[in-house]
Amino acid sequence: SCGLLLTGFGLRDSIFSIMDIEFDEIILYDIQCNLEQPLSPAEMDSFIEQTIVPLPVEEALGCYFSNKDSRSLAEKEAEEPKRSVSVVAAADGEALGRMINAHDGVREIPLPAEGAIISQKLAELMDAGPGDAFYLTDGKNEREVVIADVMENYLNHYVLMSDHYYEQVFDEPFQENHVLMNLTPKGQAALDGTAAAILADERVNLVKTAASIRDTIGDTFDSLYVVVVVLILSAAALLFVIMYNLTNINIAERRRELATIKVLGFTDPETYDYVHRENYLLTFAGVALGMAAGLFMHRIVIVTCEIDVIKFVRRIKPLSYGLSAVLTLIFSLVVNRITRFQIRAVDMVESFKSVE
């Protein structure tokens, strides 16, 4: 029961922590703007000056942002299907770091001059790491990319690179087709109006806000709350059935013993403790073993449920351990409270009449 509870609360932590980590710690830009046609760096500066600067925008970064297909050398040789990744290239690595915070959970990862930074899930799927190479599909051509580092990420796959490395990989001049923006507090308060003002420019094809992306993904994850509720209810039912039956058997087989201690003058609370003390010991032992079992079950469920574009958080919050233990104890107390009536109803005369 405690293991099921920890699995349920752990799933909640692993799934719903994604939103906070992804959009508060990794994806830092407020608005993503897609242009109709790629622009040279000089043309991008002109566009930002004309369209973006008059708006309540704190910082704007022109960059290359496009979806491409990728696969490792082993996947290429085995002719396995390709997977879609978001390739982001920028001339200003520090500014890109303020829009997409590349880190591995311990240190910040600067944009390398040579090689690319890829997300953890992509590295796991390709079984690759720093120093290894993989391939990006550019039209009919497959371009080799060297992995410089691996960043923490939970939604989609990212490949980050400098403008010079982009030109080296794709053998073409670097052009920018996206603008990533951080807004001022005034702009964030009028987010929809700011997005609409950017979209009014005929050179703009699409405007997305990080908040809308977060809400869309959050609505999808909300349905998974049912899984957590089912696990908690299953844990409660399991504990109730097992402990209730064990206590009933205990009382039925010890009627003469219970009748004897009642005749000897034990009060009702003392009689309850005589029987329930064993239940409490079993509960504490179950909580200790359930923590280990729940940690194991949580890891199995998380790894099994993951899909290619999502990496679940592997951590369980301390609060979940506490809630699992407390709820297990509460369920146990409820069962013990219910079985008090049966102990009180033991008929001393009838119990002593029984033949042994």
Side-chain angles (χ1 to χ4, degrees):
S1 176
C2 186
L4 284 175
L5 284 171
L6 186 59
T7 302
F9 287 123
L11 282 175
R12 181 198 61 181
D13 295 340
S14 295
I15 295 171
F16 297 101
S17 293
I18 289 177
M19 307 303 295
D20 294 334
I21 296 175
E22 187 74 12
F23 291 97
D24 292 341
E25 300 179 14
I26 299 173
I27 304 299
L28 303 181
Y29 60 82
D30 296 313
I31 291 181
Q32 173 185 340
C33 166
N34 180 27
L35 302 180
E36 288 281 0
Q37 297 293 331
L39 303 177
S40 67
E43 292 172 330
M44 178 61 75
D45 291 340
S46 176
F47 169 77
I48 291 175
E49 186 69 26
Q50 295 172 8
T51 303
I52 306 301
V53 171
L55 299 173
V57 174
E58 184 176 296
E59 183 178 19
L61 172 69
C63 65
Y64 174 84
F65 197 127
S66 179
N67 290 330
K68 295 188 181 297
D69 293 330
S70 73
R71 56 182 174 178
S72 65
L73 177 60
E75 291 170 330
K76 178 182 176 181
E77 292 174 347
E79 297 185 352
E80 293 185 14
K82 305 171 185 177
R83 62 182 61 85
S84 179
V85 301
S86 295
V87 178
V88 184
D92 189 340
E94 292 184 1
L96 181 61
R98 292 190 290 271
M99 302 294 174
I100 302 176
N101 181 21
H103 64 88
D104 61 5
V106 177
R107 61 184 176 89
E108 302 291 330
I109 303 175
L111 192 66
E114 297 290 328
I117 303 171
I118 70 171
S119 50
Q120 284 179 342
K121 185 69 176 181
L122 180 60
E124 291 175 5
L125 291 172
M126 296 193 303
D127 191 22
D132 295 329
F134 69 102
Y135 295 88
L136 288 176
T137 301
D138 177 31
K140 294 182 179 180
N141 301 318
E142 285 195 317
R143 309 286 186 167
E144 183 177 294
V145 179
V146 176
I147 302 171
D149 220 321
V150 177
M151 63 177 278
E152 181 179 351
N153 188 67
Y154 298 94
L155 294 173
N156 302 319
H157 306 305
Y158 285 96
V159 177
L160 310 183
M161 62 179 68
S162 67
D163 56 338
H164 298 297
Y165 192 66
Y166 170 89
E167 293 178 339
Q168 179 181 330
V169 169
F170 296 103
D171 193 24
E172 63 183 21
F174 175 70
Q175 289 188 305
E176 299 167 327
N177 61 358
H178 263 67
V179 182
L180 304 180
M181 287 163 270
N182 281 325
L183 303 182
T184 64
K186 181 180 177 180
Q188 291 173 351
L191 183 61
D192 292 338
T194 305
I198 297 170
L199 190 58
D201 191 302
E202 62 182 11
R203 291 170 289 185
V204 176
N205 177 42
L206 179 66
V207 174
K208 293 181 182 179
T209 65
S212 66
I213 298 172
R214 180 173 186 162
D215 290 342
T216 301
I217 298 173
D219 291 341
T220 303
F221 283 170
D222 283 345
S223 60
L224 296 176
Y225 265 120
V226 176
V227 177
V228 177
V229 173
V230 168
L231 283 172
I232 292 173
L233 293 178
S234 300
L238 177 66
L239 180 65
F240 182 85
V241 170
I242 291 178
M243 291 202 68
Y244 185 78
N245 286 337
L246 284 175
T247 306
N248 275 341
I249 294 171
N250 193 359
I251 294 171
E253 292 185 347
R254 300 170 67 181
R255 283 186 173 274
R256 287 175 62 89
E257 184 180 346
L258 294 174
T260 300
I261 64 174
K262 292 178 76 172
V263 168
L264 292 175
F266 277 56
T267 63
D268 283 342
E270 290 173 334
T271 308
Y272 302 149
D273 290 342
Y274 188 77
V275 175
H276 293 157
R277 189 179 296 114
E278 298 167 3
N279 287 352
Y280 293 136
L281 291 174
L282 287 172
T283 300
F284 285 118
V287 167
L289 294 174
M291 291 296 173
L295 193 61
F296 178 71
M297 290 190 293
H298 168 263
R299 180 55 62 92
I300 290 178
V301 172
I302 285 299
V303 172
T304 303
C305 290
E306 275 187 354
I307 59 177
D308 280 358
V309 295
I310 294 178
K311 177 181 176 66
F312 290 133
V313 180
R314 299 290 201 272
R315 298 186 297 269
I316 300 178
K317 296 179 180 178
L319 179 62
S320 295
Y321 288 98
L323 285 174
S324 301
V326 169
L327 285 176
T328 303
L329 294 173
I330 290 174
F331 294 159
S332 179
L333 289 172
V334 170
V335 172
N336 287 343
R337 178 68 64 173
I338 292 173
T339 55
R340 284 187 175 192
F341 299 104
Q342 294 172 266
I343 297 174
R344 193 183 308 150
V346 171
D347 189 320
M348 290 181 283
V349 175
E350 292 298 323
S351 298
F352 285 126
K353 285 182 179 179
S354 62
V355 178
E356 291 188 352

Short mmCIF file of all heavy atoms in Angstrom, two decimals, residues 38-70:
data_model
loop_
_atom_site.label_atom_id
_atom_site.label_comp_id
_atom_site.label_asym_id
_atom_site.label_seq_id
_atom_site.Cartn_x
_atom_site.Cartn_y
_atom_site.Cartn_z
N PRO A 38 13.92 33.93 -44.47
CA PRO A 38 15.15 34.11 -43.69
C PRO A 38 15.80 35.45 -44.01
O PRO A 38 15.72 35.93 -45.15
CB PRO A 38 16.03 32.94 -44.13
CG PRO A 38 15.09 31.95 -44.72
CD PRO A 38 13.98 32.72 -45.34
N LEU A 39 16.43 36.05 -43.02
CA LEU A 39 17.08 37.35 -43.19
C LEU A 39 18.57 37.23 -42.87
O LEU A 39 18.97 36.41 -42.04
CB LEU A 39 16.45 38.39 -42.26
CG LEU A 39 14.94 38.62 -42.38
CD1 LEU A 39 14.49 39.63 -41.33
CD2 LEU A 39 14.56 39.09 -43.78
N SER A 40 19.35 38.06 -43.51
CA SER A 40 20.75 38.14 -43.15
C SER A 40 20.85 38.84 -41.80
O SER A 40 19.91 39.51 -41.37
CB SER A 40 21.53 38.93 -44.21
OG SER A 40 21.11 40.29 -44.19
N PRO A 41 21.99 38.71 -41.08
CA PRO A 41 22.12 39.40 -39.79
C PRO A 41 21.84 40.89 -39.87
O PRO A 41 21.22 41.47 -38.98
CB PRO A 41 23.57 39.10 -39.39
CG PRO A 41 23.86 37.78 -40.03
CD PRO A 41 23.13 37.81 -41.34
N ALA A 42 22.26 41.54 -40.96
CA ALA A 42 22.01 42.98 -41.10
C ALA A 42 20.52 43.26 -41.28
O ALA A 42 19.96 44.20 -40.70
CB ALA A 42 22.79 43.53 -42.29
N GLU A 43 19.86 42.44 -42.08
CA GLU A 43 18.41 42.60 -42.29
C GLU A 43 17.65 42.31 -40.99
O GLU A 43 16.63 42.96 -40.71
CB GLU A 43 17.94 41.67 -43.40
CG GLU A 43 18.45 42.04 -44.77
CD GLU A 43 18.13 40.99 -45.82
OE1 GLU A 43 18.05 39.79 -45.46
OE2 GLU A 43 17.97 41.36 -47.00
N MET A 44 18.13 41.34 -40.22
CA MET A 44 17.48 41.03 -38.94
C MET A 44 17.61 42.21 -37.98
O MET A 44 16.65 42.56 -37.28
CB MET A 44 18.10 39.77 -38.33
CG MET A 44 17.52 39.41 -36.97
SD MET A 44 15.75 39.07 -36.98
CE MET A 44 15.72 37.43 -37.74
N ASP A 45 18.76 42.83 -37.94
CA ASP A 45 18.94 44.01 -37.08
C ASP A 45 17.95 45.11 -37.46
O ASP A 45 17.39 45.78 -36.59
CB ASP A 45 20.37 44.53 -37.19
CG ASP A 45 21.39 43.60 -36.56
OD1 ASP A 45 20.97 42.76 -35.73
OD2 ASP A 45 22.58 43.70 -36.89
N SER A 46 17.73 45.29 -38.77
CA SER A 46 16.79 46.30 -39.24
C SER A 46 15.36 45.95 -38.82
O SER A 46 14.59 46.81 -38.38
CB SER A 46 16.88 46.42 -40.76
OG SER A 46 15.89 47.33 -41.25
N PHE A 47 15.00 44.68 -38.95
CA PHE A 47 13.66 44.24 -38.56
C PHE A 47 13.43 44.46 -37.07
O PHE A 47 12.37 44.96 -36.66
CB PHE A 47 13.48 42.75 -38.91
CG PHE A 47 12.25 42.14 -38.31
CD1 PHE A 47 10.99 42.37 -38.86
CD2 PHE A 47 12.33 41.32 -37.18
CE1 PHE A 47 9.85 41.81 -38.29
CE2 PHE A 47 11.21 40.75 -36.62
CZ PHE A 47 9.97 40.99 -37.18
N ILE A 48 14.41 44.09 -36.26
CA ILE A 48 14.27 44.26 -34.81
C ILE A 48 14.14 45.75 -34.46
O ILE A 48 13.32 46.14 -33.62
CB ILE A 48 15.47 43.62 -34.09
CG1 ILE A 48 15.40 42.09 -34.22
CG2 ILE A 48 15.48 44.02 -32.61
CD1 ILE A 48 16.60 41.37 -33.64
N GLU A 49 14.93 46.57 -35.13
CA GLU A 49 14.89 48.00 -34.86
C GLU A 49 13.53 48.60 -35.22
O GLU A 49 12.98 49.45 -34.49
CB GLU A 49 16.00 48.69 -35.67
CG GLU A 49 16.16 50.16 -35.38
CD GLU A 49 16.72 50.43 -33.99
OE1 GLU A 49 17.43 49.55 -33.45
OE2 GLU A 49 16.45 51.53 -33.46
N GLN A 50 12.96 48.18 -36.32
CA GLN A 50 11.70 48.74 -36.79
C GLN A 50 10.48 48.19 -36.05
O GLN A 50 9.56 48.94 -35.71
CB GLN A 50 11.54 48.49 -38.29
CG GLN A 50 12.55 49.19 -39.16
CD GLN A 50 12.45 48.75 -40.61
OE1 GLN A 50 11.53 48.03 -41.00
NE2 GLN A 50 13.42 49.17 -41.42
N THR A 51 10.46 46.88 -35.83
CA THR A 51 9.24 46.22 -35.32
C THR A 51 9.29 45.90 -33.83
O THR A 51 8.29 46.04 -33.12
CB THR A 51 8.99 44.92 -36.11
OG1 THR A 51 8.88 45.24 -37.50
CG2 THR A 51 7.71 44.24 -35.65
N ILE A 52 10.44 45.47 -33.35
CA ILE A 52 10.52 44.95 -31.98
C ILE A 52 10.86 46.04 -30.96
O ILE A 52 10.25 46.11 -29.89
CB ILE A 52 11.56 43.81 -31.89
CG1 ILE A 52 11.26 42.74 -32.94
CG2 ILE A 52 11.58 43.22 -30.49
CD1 ILE A 52 9.91 42.10 -32.82
N VAL A 53 11.81 46.90 -31.27
CA VAL A 53 12.27 47.91 -30.32
C VAL A 53 11.15 48.82 -29.81
O VAL A 53 11.11 49.14 -28.61
CB VAL A 53 13.42 48.74 -30.92
CG1 VAL A 53 13.75 49.94 -30.04
CG2 VAL A 53 14.66 47.87 -31.11
N PRO A 54 10.19 49.25 -30.66
CA PRO A 54 9.11 50.10 -30.14
C PRO A 54 8.18 49.41 -29.15
O PRO A 54 7.41 50.08 -28.44
CB PRO A 54 8.34 50.51 -31.41
CG PRO A 54 9.31 50.34 -32.52
CD PRO A 54 10.15 49.17 -32.13
N LEU A 55 8.22 48.11 -29.08
CA LEU A 55 7.34 47.35 -28.19
C LEU A 55 8.01 47.16 -26.82
O LEU A 55 9.22 47.33 -26.68
CB LEU A 55 7.03 45.99 -28.81
CG LEU A 55 6.30 46.03 -30.17
CD1 LEU A 55 6.20 44.63 -30.76
CD2 LEU A 55 4.92 46.65 -30.02
N PRO A 56 7.22 46.78 -25.79
CA PRO A 56 7.80 46.56 -24.44
C PRO A 56 8.60 45.26 -24.37
O PRO A 56 8.21 44.30 -23.71
CB PRO A 56 6.57 46.53 -23.54
CG PRO A 56 5.45 46.08 -24.41
CD PRO A 56 5.74 46.64 -25.77
N VAL A 57 9.71 45.23 -25.12
CA VAL A 57 10.58 44.05 -25.20
C VAL A 57 11.90 44.38 -24.52
O VAL A 57 12.53 45.38 -24.84
CB VAL A 57 10.81 43.63 -26.66
CG1 VAL A 57 11.82 42.49 -26.74
CG2 VAL A 57 9.49 43.22 -27.31
N GLU A 58 12.30 43.53 -23.60
CA GLU A 58 13.56 43.76 -22.87
C GLU A 58 14.77 43.36 -23.70
O GLU A 58 15.78 44.04 -23.71
CB GLU A 58 13.53 42.96 -21.57
CG GLU A 58 14.72 43.17 -20.67
CD GLU A 58 14.57 42.43 -19.36
OE1 GLU A 58 13.65 42.76 -18.58
OE2 GLU A 58 15.37 41.52 -19.11
N GLU A 59 14.66 42.24 -24.40
CA GLU A 59 15.78 41.76 -25.23
C GLU A 59 15.24 40.92 -26.37
O GLU A 59 14.29 40.14 -26.19
CB GLU A 59 16.76 40.94 -24.39
CG GLU A 59 17.98 40.46 -25.17
CD GLU A 59 18.96 39.67 -24.30
OE1 GLU A 59 18.54 39.20 -23.23
OE2 GLU A 59 20.13 39.54 -24.72
N ALA A 60 15.80 41.08 -27.55
CA ALA A 60 15.40 40.30 -28.72
C ALA A 60 16.64 39.69 -29.36
O ALA A 60 17.69 40.34 -29.46
CB ALA A 60 14.66 41.17 -29.72
N LEU A 61 16.52 38.45 -29.78
CA LEU A 61 17.65 37.75 -30.39
C LEU A 61 17.22 37.14 -31.71
O LEU A 61 16.30 36.30 -31.75
CB LEU A 61 18.15 36.64 -29.45
CG LEU A 61 19.20 35.69 -30.05
CD1 LEU A 61 20.51 36.43 -30.27
CD2 LEU A 61 19.41 34.48 -29.14
N GLY A 62 17.89 37.54 -32.79
CA GLY A 62 17.67 36.89 -34.07
C GLY A 62 18.47 35.60 -34.13
O GLY A 62 19.63 35.54 -33.71
N CYS A 63 17.84 34.53 -34.64
CA CYS A 63 18.51 33.23 -34.67
C CYS A 63 17.92 32.37 -35.78
O CYS A 63 16.91 32.73 -36.40
CB CYS A 63 18.36 32.52 -33.33
SG CYS A 63 16.66 32.09 -32.91
N TYR A 64 18.58 31.26 -36.02
CA TYR A 64 18.04 30.23 -36.92
C TYR A 64 17.35 29.20 -36.05
O TYR A 64 17.91 28.69 -35.08
CB TYR A 64 19.15 29.59 -37.73
CG TYR A 64 18.69 28.43 -38.58
CD1 TYR A 64 18.15 28.66 -39.84
CD2 TYR A 64 18.77 27.13 -38.12
CE1 TYR A 64 17.71 27.60 -40.63
CE2 TYR A 64 18.34 26.06 -38.90
CZ TYR A 64 17.79 26.31 -40.15
OH TYR A 64 17.35 25.26 -40.91
N PHE A 65 16.09 28.88 -36.39
CA PHE A 65 15.29 27.95 -35.58
C PHE A 65 14.46 27.12 -36.56
O PHE A 65 13.58 27.65 -37.23
CB PHE A 65 14.38 28.73 -34.63
CG PHE A 65 13.81 27.93 -33.49
CD1 PHE A 65 13.95 28.37 -32.17
CD2 PHE A 65 13.10 26.76 -33.71
CE1 PHE A 65 13.43 27.64 -31.11
CE2 PHE A 65 12.57 26.03 -32.67
CZ PHE A 65 12.73 26.47 -31.36
N SER A 66 14.77 25.83 -36.66
CA SER A 66 14.05 25.01 -37.63
C SER A 66 14.05 23.55 -37.18
O SER A 66 14.95 23.10 -36.45
CB SER A 66 14.71 25.12 -39.01
OG SER A 66 14.04 24.31 -39.95
N ASN A 67 13.04 22.81 -37.60
CA ASN A 67 12.95 21.38 -37.30
C ASN A 67 13.66 20.58 -38.39
O ASN A 67 13.45 20.82 -39.59
CB ASN A 67 11.50 20.92 -37.21
CG ASN A 67 10.81 21.46 -35.97
OD1 ASN A 67 11.45 21.68 -34.94
ND2 ASN A 67 9.52 21.69 -36.05
N LYS A 68 14.50 19.67 -37.97
CA LYS A 68 15.18 18.77 -38.90
C LYS A 68 15.12 17.35 -38.35
O LYS A 68 14.80 17.14 -37.17
CB LYS A 68 16.63 19.20 -39.11
CG LYS A 68 16.77 20.57 -39.80
CD LYS A 68 18.20 20.86 -40.17
CE LYS A 68 18.34 22.22 -40.83
NZ LYS A 68 17.60 22.32 -42.11
N ASP A 69 15.43 16.38 -39.20
CA ASP A 69 15.45 14.98 -38.76
C ASP A 69 16.87 14.59 -38.36
O ASP A 69 17.84 15.08 -38.94
CB ASP A 69 14.97 14.06 -39.89
CG ASP A 69 13.49 14.28 -40.20
OD1 ASP A 69 12.75 14.65 -39.28
OD2 ASP A 69 13.09 14.11 -41.37
N SER A 70 16.95 13.71 -37.37
CA SER A 70 18.26 13.29 -36.90
C SER A 70 18.29 11.79 -36.65
O SER A 70 17.25 11.16 -36.42
CB SER A 70 18.62 14.02 -35.60
OG SER A 70 17.87 13.50 -34.53
#
